Amino acid sequence: MDKDAAITVENLRKTYGSLTAVNDVSFAVQTEETFGIVGPNGAGKTTTIECLEGLKPPDNGHIRVLGFDPQKDRRALNARIGVQLQESNIAAQIKVWEALELYTSFYSNSVDPEELLEKLSLTPVRNSYYSKLSGGQKQRLFIALSLINNPDIVFFDELTTGLDPQARRLIWDLVRHVNDQGKTVVLTTHFMEEAERLCDRVMIMDHGQIIALDSPEKLIQNLGAEHKVIFSIKGDVQIEWFTNMASVENINIFRDKVTISGKDDRLLADVVNLLTARGIRHYDLHTQQPNLEDVFIALTGKEIRN
């Protein structure tokens, strides 16, 4: 394992009775990277996070977080990490500023609560009760509380679940800002777009095991999925126009809509050049690129898991 990593995990195993939640998992998280853990429900990602935070003792394995054993050195580790709270941990009738002041009192080393309120755009609601906050405001408060002790590592577990797209993207900007401040970020998410946009590396888990771990770009590249060029035309289309193009693997024509697929990077240029050379008028031309969601489905299957 990398001795310079912020987190090292070797052969982590955690069971609950006959259920093996995490099965012989090993990985490392580099200092100042944003590391994502994704997987279907029951994949073992939350249990893994809880073992790293010291909330659950592993049945077997070796864990070091900032050089600390999360079980034996939990008090020292808690001063160096930030953990996103769940909604049930916040009293409904506590005010925003009161929550920050309360959590400031837990640590000998803390940042200015007013500075956090300002950075996270919570100053306008500093006197509001927690129960009166919107979903996005609550999540920004969770981020503020996780940063109150100026941690080196911050853990976010399903931070944007339940938020509308606008609020989700605001939280993404805040997570990037946290990482830009030199902090290591470990997050779990159900949103593949979120992992693809935020994470330097992504670990995909299923049935308690790691089934893939790499940068989003390399995971997508290794999938070998097809690129698609989609457009509509007026008039007849001849499949033969495209069959001799080396970059084309599949052609589908439905009414006036044409979908051309291939794995070659030249696909888009080849299609556009052919349409131009033949003087074929087309419209609504766009591309579909493989993404991390395609990787996730290919590796874990399409079925819904409870």
Side-chain angles (χ1 to χ4, degrees):
M1 280 290 179
D2 187 347
K3 295 182 179 179
D4 296 325
I7 298 171
T8 58
V9 178
E10 294 179 319
N11 307 117
L12 173 62
R13 181 179 175 84
K14 179 65 180 177
T15 61
Y16 301 99
S18 60
L19 173 66
T20 300
V22 182
N23 187 12
D24 197 30
V25 164
S26 300
F27 63 95
V29 179
Q30 301 303 312
T31 301
E32 297 187 16
E33 86 170 317
T34 298
F35 186 87
I37 305 176
V38 302
N41 292 335
K45 52 189 184 296
T46 295
T47 297
T48 299
I49 286 279
E50 290 175 337
C51 289
L52 299 182
E53 296 168 345
L55 299 177
K56 296 281 179 66
D59 296 326
N60 187 54
H62 180 85
I63 302 174
R64 285 294 180 269
V65 180
L66 298 172
F68 296 109
D69 181 317
Q71 291 299 310
K72 297 178 180 178
D73 309 312
R74 187 172 178 185
R75 181 182 294 273
L77 179 61
N78 284 346
R80 301 277 302 279
I81 65 173
V83 178
Q84 165 210 344
L85 299 172
Q86 299 295 330
E87 188 164 348
S88 59
N89 297 118
I90 302 290
Q93 297 305 308
I94 193 171
K95 293 181 178 180
V96 170
W97 72 266
E98 291 175 331
L100 283 167
E101 290 288 347
L102 174 63
Y103 280 84
T104 298
S105 69
F106 296 159
Y107 303 100
S108 58
N109 176 37
S110 60
V111 299
D112 182 357
E114 296 299 328
E115 182 180 335
L116 277 179
L117 288 173
E118 186 65 29
K119 284 184 177 180
L120 298 177
S121 301
L122 290 170
T123 301
V125 294
R126 69 184 309 279
N127 291 311
S128 299
Y129 291 113
Y130 172 77
S131 60
K132 300 298 183 182
L133 300 180
S134 68
Q137 290 167 342
K138 288 177 179 179
Q139 296 296 55
R140 297 207 303 274
L141 177 58
F142 294 154
I143 292 176
L145 294 175
S146 72
L147 298 176
I148 198 69
N149 61 326
N150 193 26
D152 296 301
I153 300 177
V154 188
F155 293 94
F156 295 132
D157 190 9
E158 304 292 349
L159 185 60
T160 62
T161 297
L163 298 185
D164 60 60
Q166 183 180 21
R168 183 176 300 130
R169 279 161 176 76
L170 175 59
I171 298 299
W172 291 356
D173 289 339
L174 294 175
V175 172
R176 291 189 187 100
H177 177 73
V178 170
N179 182 243
D180 288 342
Q181 301 307 302
K183 301 185 187 304
T184 302
V185 176
V186 179
L187 63 86
T188 70
T189 179
H190 277 106
F191 298 105
M192 294 305 104
E193 182 185 6
E194 182 167 288
E196 187 172 343
R197 287 177 178 247
L198 293 180
C199 298
D200 299 300
R201 290 189 300 146
V202 175
M203 182 170 79
I204 302 176
M205 297 186 68
D206 199 14
H207 299 293
Q209 296 182 312
I210 299 171
I211 58 175
L213 199 173
D214 214 325
S215 68
E217 296 80 8
K218 289 184 178 179
L219 289 171
I220 294 168
Q221 181 180 356
N222 292 339
L223 179 63
E226 293 181 334
H227 300 257
K228 294 181 180 180
V229 178
I230 302 168
F231 57 93
S232 298
I233 67 169
K234 294 180 179 179
D236 293 331
V237 181
Q238 302 298 321
I239 290 180
E240 293 76 15
W241 295 346
F242 305 97
T243 53
N244 293 327
M245 296 167 56
S247 58
V248 173
E249 297 191 7
N250 287 292
I251 305 168
N252 180 269
I253 301 175
F254 180 72
R255 296 177 181 172
D256 64 343
K257 186 176 181 180
V258 182
T259 301
I260 300 178
S261 305
K263 298 179 182 180
D264 197 306
D265 291 339
R266 299 172 301 174
L267 178 66
L268 175 60
D270 286 350
V271 170
V272 172
N273 288 339
L274 184 144
L275 293 173
T276 302
R278 288 185 171 269
I280 302 170
R281 297 181 62 185
H282 58 278
Y283 56 98
D284 294 338
L285 187 146
H286 60 282
T287 61
Q288 286 184 359
Q289 308 293 332
N291 55 33
L292 193 60
E293 185 169 342
D294 296 318
V295 176
F296 181 83
I297 292 174
L299 293 176
T300 65
K302 297 181 180 179
E303 74 277 6
I304 296 174
R305 301 258 291 275
N306 295 317

